[in-house]
Tab-separated table of all heavy atoms in Angstrom:
chain	number	residue	atom	x	y	z
A	164	ASP	N	153.233	51.945	92.488
A	164	ASP	CA	154.123	52.973	91.935
A	164	ASP	C	154.660	52.605	90.558
A	164	ASP	O	155.248	53.444	89.884
A	164	ASP	CB	155.307	53.220	92.881
A	164	ASP	CG	154.914	54.115	94.039
A	164	ASP	OD1	154.015	54.966	93.845
A	164	ASP	OD2	155.485	53.956	95.127
A	165	LEU	N	154.496	51.353	90.161
A	165	LEU	CA	155.055	50.930	88.879
A	165	LEU	C	154.123	51.264	87.731
A	165	LEU	O	152.914	51.056	87.821
A	165	LEU	CB	155.296	49.411	88.875
A	165	LEU	CG	156.305	48.849	89.870
A	165	LEU	CD1	156.447	47.341	89.653
A	165	LEU	CD2	157.661	49.528	89.707
A	166	LYS	N	154.713	51.778	86.668
A	166	LYS	CA	153.967	51.897	85.413
A	166	LYS	C	153.900	50.492	84.805
A	166	LYS	O	154.700	49.621	85.170
A	166	LYS	CB	154.694	52.827	84.447
A	166	LYS	CG	154.817	54.261	84.938
A	166	LYS	CD	155.408	55.110	83.803
A	166	LYS	CE	155.479	56.562	84.160
A	166	LYS	NZ	156.632	56.934	84.976
A	167	PHE	N	152.994	50.315	83.841
A	167	PHE	CA	152.820	48.972	83.281
A	167	PHE	C	154.121	48.446	82.676
A	167	PHE	O	154.515	47.305	82.911
A	167	PHE	CB	151.698	48.972	82.240
A	167	PHE	CG	151.394	47.603	81.714
A	167	PHE	CD1	150.858	46.629	82.532
A	167	PHE	CD2	151.674	47.276	80.383
A	167	PHE	CE1	150.587	45.351	82.058
A	167	PHE	CE2	151.419	45.998	79.906
A	167	PHE	CZ	150.869	45.044	80.741
A	168	ASP	N	154.826	49.312	81.935
A	168	ASP	CA	156.062	48.817	81.302
A	168	ASP	C	157.142	48.519	82.350
A	168	ASP	O	157.973	47.626	82.156
A	168	ASP	CB	156.565	49.756	80.197
A	168	ASP	CG	156.845	51.146	80.707
A	168	ASP	OD1	156.387	51.484	81.813
A	168	ASP	OD2	157.531	51.918	80.000
A	169	GLU	N	157.104	49.224	83.460
A	169	GLU	CA	158.073	48.931	84.531
A	169	GLU	C	157.769	47.575	85.174
A	169	GLU	O	158.670	46.807	85.498
A	169	GLU	CB	158.038	50.030	85.598
A	169	GLU	CG	158.583	51.355	85.091
A	169	GLU	CD	158.329	52.529	86.039
A	169	GLU	OE1	157.396	52.456	86.879
A	169	GLU	OE2	159.038	53.532	85.916
A	170	LEU	N	156.486	47.301	85.325
A	170	LEU	CA	156.096	45.998	85.869
A	170	LEU	C	156.525	44.895	84.898
A	170	LEU	O	157.109	43.881	85.300
A	170	LEU	CB	154.580	45.956	86.098
A	170	LEU	CG	154.008	44.628	86.574
A	170	LEU	CD1	154.566	44.229	87.946
A	170	LEU	CD2	152.476	44.674	86.642
A	171	GLN	N	156.262	45.137	83.608
A	171	GLN	CA	156.646	44.154	82.592
A	171	GLN	C	158.138	43.857	82.654
A	171	GLN	O	158.551	42.696	82.652
A	171	GLN	CB	156.325	44.697	81.189
A	171	GLN	CG	154.903	44.460	80.749
A	171	GLN	CD	154.685	45.013	79.346
A	171	GLN	OE1	155.127	46.113	79.030
A	171	GLN	NE2	154.007	44.252	78.515
A	172	SER	N	158.947	44.925	82.739
A	172	SER	CA	160.388	44.644	82.698
A	172	SER	C	160.874	44.008	83.992
A	172	SER	O	161.773	43.159	83.959
A	172	SER	CB	161.205	45.870	82.281
A	172	SER	OG	161.001	46.896	83.180
A	173	ALA	N	160.259	44.364	85.133
A	173	ALA	CA	160.651	43.696	86.380
A	173	ALA	C	160.368	42.195	86.276
A	173	ALA	O	161.215	41.359	86.621
A	173	ALA	CB	159.901	44.299	87.561
A	174	LEU	N	159.195	41.869	85.747
A	174	LEU	CA	158.815	40.455	85.662
A	174	LEU	C	159.688	39.713	84.643
A	174	LEU	O	160.081	38.563	84.852
A	174	LEU	CB	157.337	40.328	85.290
A	174	LEU	CG	156.360	40.795	86.382
A	174	LEU	CD1	154.945	40.901	85.841
A	174	LEU	CD2	156.385	39.851	87.593
A	175	ARG	N	159.983	40.422	83.553
A	175	ARG	CA	160.846	39.812	82.536
A	175	ARG	C	162.205	39.480	83.159
A	175	ARG	O	162.745	38.395	82.970
A	175	ARG	CB	161.009	40.775	81.342
A	175	ARG	CG	161.384	40.064	80.046
A	175	ARG	CD	161.505	41.043	78.872
A	175	ARG	NE	160.314	41.854	78.654
A	175	ARG	CZ	160.301	43.185	78.651
A	175	ARG	NH1	161.405	43.875	78.847
A	175	ARG	NH2	159.175	43.833	78.429
A	176	GLY	N	162.694	40.420	83.944
A	176	GLY	CA	163.976	40.214	84.625
A	176	GLY	C	163.957	39.007	85.556
A	176	GLY	O	164.989	38.386	85.813
A	177	TRP	N	162.799	38.678	86.056
A	177	TRP	CA	162.682	37.508	86.948
A	177	TRP	C	162.404	36.224	86.166
A	177	TRP	O	162.160	35.174	86.756
A	177	TRP	CB	161.510	37.697	87.937
A	177	TRP	CG	161.657	38.855	88.869
A	177	TRP	CD1	162.754	39.662	89.025
A	177	TRP	CD2	160.670	39.346	89.773
A	177	TRP	NE1	162.497	40.625	89.963
A	177	TRP	CE2	161.221	40.452	90.450
A	177	TRP	CE3	159.360	38.962	90.089
A	177	TRP	CZ2	160.529	41.183	91.409
A	177	TRP	CZ3	158.659	39.677	91.045
A	177	TRP	CH2	159.239	40.791	91.702
A	178	GLY	N	162.346	36.346	84.824
A	178	GLY	CA	162.082	35.175	83.989
A	178	GLY	C	160.630	34.744	83.976
A	178	GLY	O	160.303	33.602	83.649
A	179	GLU	N	159.732	35.652	84.306
A	179	GLU	CA	158.303	35.296	84.309
A	179	GLU	C	157.712	35.371	82.898
A	179	GLU	O	158.187	36.133	82.056
A	179	GLU	CB	157.521	36.260	85.211
A	179	GLU	CG	157.832	36.133	86.687
A	179	GLU	CD	157.313	34.837	87.299
A	179	GLU	OE1	156.389	34.231	86.731
A	179	GLU	OE2	157.850	34.433	88.347
A	180	ALA	N	156.654	34.608	82.670
A	180	ALA	CA	155.984	34.625	81.370
A	180	ALA	C	155.379	36.011	81.114
A	180	ALA	O	154.989	36.711	82.056
A	180	ALA	CB	154.888	33.564	81.340
A	181	ALA	N	155.300	36.370	79.823
A	181	ALA	CA	154.876	37.723	79.442
A	181	ALA	C	153.455	38.052	79.918
A	181	ALA	O	153.163	39.202	80.244
A	181	ALA	CB	154.970	37.877	77.933
A	182	PHE	N	152.594	37.061	79.986
A	182	PHE	CA	151.186	37.362	80.337
A	182	PHE	C	150.991	37.759	81.800
A	182	PHE	O	149.954	38.288	82.175
A	182	PHE	CB	150.273	36.175	79.982
A	182	PHE	CG	150.461	34.979	80.872
A	182	PHE	CD1	149.707	34.825	82.036
A	182	PHE	CD2	151.384	33.984	80.539
A	182	PHE	CE1	149.865	33.731	82.848
A	182	PHE	CE2	151.562	32.878	81.365
A	182	PHE	CZ	150.806	32.752	82.518
A	183	ARG	N	152.002	37.512	82.609
A	183	ARG	CA	151.837	37.780	84.050
A	183	ARG	C	151.607	39.273	84.350
A	183	ARG	O	150.851	39.610	85.255
A	183	ARG	CB	153.074	37.320	84.828
A	183	ARG	CG	153.239	35.823	84.914
A	183	ARG	CD	152.179	35.193	85.795
A	183	ARG	NE	152.388	33.761	85.891
A	183	ARG	CZ	151.422	32.883	86.090
A	183	ARG	NH1	150.170	33.282	86.222
A	183	ARG	NH2	151.688	31.601	86.160
A	184	ALA	N	152.266	40.129	83.591
A	184	ALA	CA	152.148	41.563	83.886
A	184	ALA	C	150.690	41.998	83.757
A	184	ALA	O	150.135	42.680	84.628
A	184	ALA	CB	153.031	42.375	82.945
A	185	LYS	N	150.056	41.563	82.682
A	185	LYS	CA	148.659	41.918	82.440
A	185	LYS	C	147.767	41.346	83.546
A	185	LYS	O	146.838	42.008	84.032
A	185	LYS	CB	148.270	41.367	81.058
A	185	LYS	CG	146.888	41.681	80.588
A	185	LYS	CD	146.870	42.853	79.604
A	185	LYS	CE	145.452	43.301	79.266
A	185	LYS	NZ	144.672	42.256	78.614
A	186	GLN	N	148.092	40.124	83.917
A	186	GLN	CA	147.309	39.460	84.964
A	186	GLN	C	147.393	40.242	86.291
A	186	GLN	O	146.375	40.497	86.928
A	186	GLN	CB	147.905	38.068	85.166
A	186	GLN	CG	146.962	37.046	85.681
A	186	GLN	CD	147.634	35.673	85.712
A	186	GLN	OE1	148.866	35.564	85.766
A	186	GLN	NE2	146.811	34.645	85.692
A	187	ILE	N	148.595	40.652	86.637
A	187	ILE	CA	148.779	41.407	87.883
A	187	ILE	C	148.087	42.768	87.784
A	187	ILE	O	147.418	43.234	88.709
A	187	ILE	CB	150.285	41.569	88.201
A	187	ILE	CG1	150.884	40.207	88.517
A	187	ILE	CG2	150.509	42.549	89.353
A	187	ILE	CD1	152.402	40.184	88.619
A	188	TRP	N	148.238	43.385	86.619
A	188	TRP	CA	147.612	44.700	86.395
A	188	TRP	C	146.097	44.613	86.624
A	188	TRP	O	145.484	45.490	87.217
A	188	TRP	CB	147.920	45.150	84.965
A	188	TRP	CG	147.918	46.626	84.757
A	188	TRP	CD1	147.011	47.342	84.033
A	188	TRP	CD2	148.868	47.588	85.250
A	188	TRP	NE1	147.339	48.677	84.041
A	188	TRP	CE2	148.474	48.859	84.788
A	188	TRP	CE3	150.019	47.487	86.043
A	188	TRP	CZ2	149.182	50.021	85.096
A	188	TRP	CZ3	150.721	48.634	86.335
A	188	TRP	CH2	150.297	49.890	85.878
A	189	GLU	N	145.521	43.532	86.132
A	189	GLU	CA	144.068	43.358	86.321
A	189	GLU	C	143.706	43.136	87.781
A	189	GLU	O	142.704	43.650	88.262
A	189	GLU	CB	143.566	42.178	85.482
A	189	GLU	CG	143.329	42.592	84.057
A	189	GLU	CD	142.854	41.441	83.182
A	189	GLU	OE1	142.440	40.383	83.735
A	189	GLU	OE2	142.924	41.612	81.961
A	190	TRP	N	144.530	42.397	88.477
A	190	TRP	CA	144.274	42.216	89.908
A	190	TRP	C	144.286	43.555	90.630
A	190	TRP	O	143.467	43.813	91.501
A	190	TRP	CB	145.321	41.287	90.546
A	190	TRP	CG	144.995	39.829	90.402
A	190	TRP	CD1	145.691	38.898	89.696
A	190	TRP	CD2	143.876	39.138	90.979
A	190	TRP	NE1	145.082	37.666	89.787
A	190	TRP	CE2	143.961	37.788	90.578
A	190	TRP	CE3	142.803	39.522	91.795
A	190	TRP	CZ2	143.033	36.822	90.957
A	190	TRP	CZ3	141.868	38.564	92.183
A	190	TRP	CH2	141.984	37.235	91.763
A	191	LEU	N	145.221	44.416	90.197
A	191	LEU	CA	145.345	45.707	90.875
A	191	LEU	C	144.219	46.657	90.534
A	191	LEU	O	143.604	47.254	91.422
A	191	LEU	CB	146.669	46.376	90.476
A	191	LEU	CG	147.945	45.776	91.026
A	191	LEU	CD1	149.142	46.545	90.490
A	191	LEU	CD2	147.930	45.836	92.549
A	192	TYR	N	143.979	46.835	89.249
A	192	TYR	CA	143.146	47.963	88.820
A	192	TYR	C	141.761	47.580	88.318
A	192	TYR	O	140.917	48.439	88.123
A	192	TYR	CB	143.888	48.778	87.748
A	192	TYR	CG	145.171	49.356	88.286
A	192	TYR	CD1	146.411	48.871	87.878
A	192	TYR	CD2	145.144	50.379	89.231
A	192	TYR	CE1	147.593	49.389	88.392
A	192	TYR	CE2	146.317	50.901	89.752
A	192	TYR	CZ	147.533	50.409	89.329
A	192	TYR	OH	148.691	50.921	89.848
A	193	VAL	N	141.521	46.305	88.050
A	193	VAL	CA	140.192	45.884	87.593
A	193	VAL	C	139.496	45.117	88.719
A	193	VAL	O	138.381	45.442	89.108
A	193	VAL	CB	140.281	45.028	86.308
A	193	VAL	CG1	138.880	44.636	85.826
A	193	VAL	CG2	141.043	45.782	85.213
A	194	ARG	N	140.203	44.169	89.296
A	194	ARG	CA	139.591	43.373	90.371
A	194	ARG	C	139.842	43.969	91.743
A	194	ARG	O	139.273	43.523	92.717
A	194	ARG	CB	140.103	41.937	90.277
A	194	ARG	CG	139.854	41.386	88.861
A	194	ARG	CD	140.497	40.049	88.637
A	194	ARG	NE	139.734	38.989	89.256
A	194	ARG	CZ	139.864	37.704	88.953
A	194	ARG	NH1	140.721	37.332	88.037
A	194	ARG	NH2	139.145	36.799	89.572
A	195	LEU	N	140.711	44.945	91.805
A	195	LEU	CA	140.955	45.731	93.022
A	195	LEU	C	141.392	44.883	94.217
A	195	LEU	O	140.938	45.098	95.350
A	195	LEU	CB	139.702	46.546	93.405
A	195	LEU	CG	139.098	47.431	92.332
A	195	LEU	CD1	137.861	48.149	92.875
A	195	LEU	CD2	140.100	48.445	91.812
A	196	ALA	N	142.259	43.927	93.954
A	196	ALA	CA	142.775	43.085	95.048
A	196	ALA	C	143.429	43.962	96.110
A	196	ALA	O	144.112	44.926	95.785
A	196	ALA	CB	143.802	42.104	94.498
Side-chain angles (χ1 to χ4, degrees):
D164 280 330
L165 297 183
K166 297 187 176 81
F167 185 66
D168 59 344
E169 291 169 338
L170 176 63
Q171 275 181 316
S172 60
L174 291 169
R175 203 179 305 123
W177 297 353
E179 292 290 338
F182 71 90
R183 289 291 182 209
K185 183 100 188 298
Q186 207 175 23
I187 293 170
W188 206 249
E189 278 179 15
W190 275 115
L191 288 178
Y192 298 109
V193 182
R194 306 172 77 163
L195 307 179

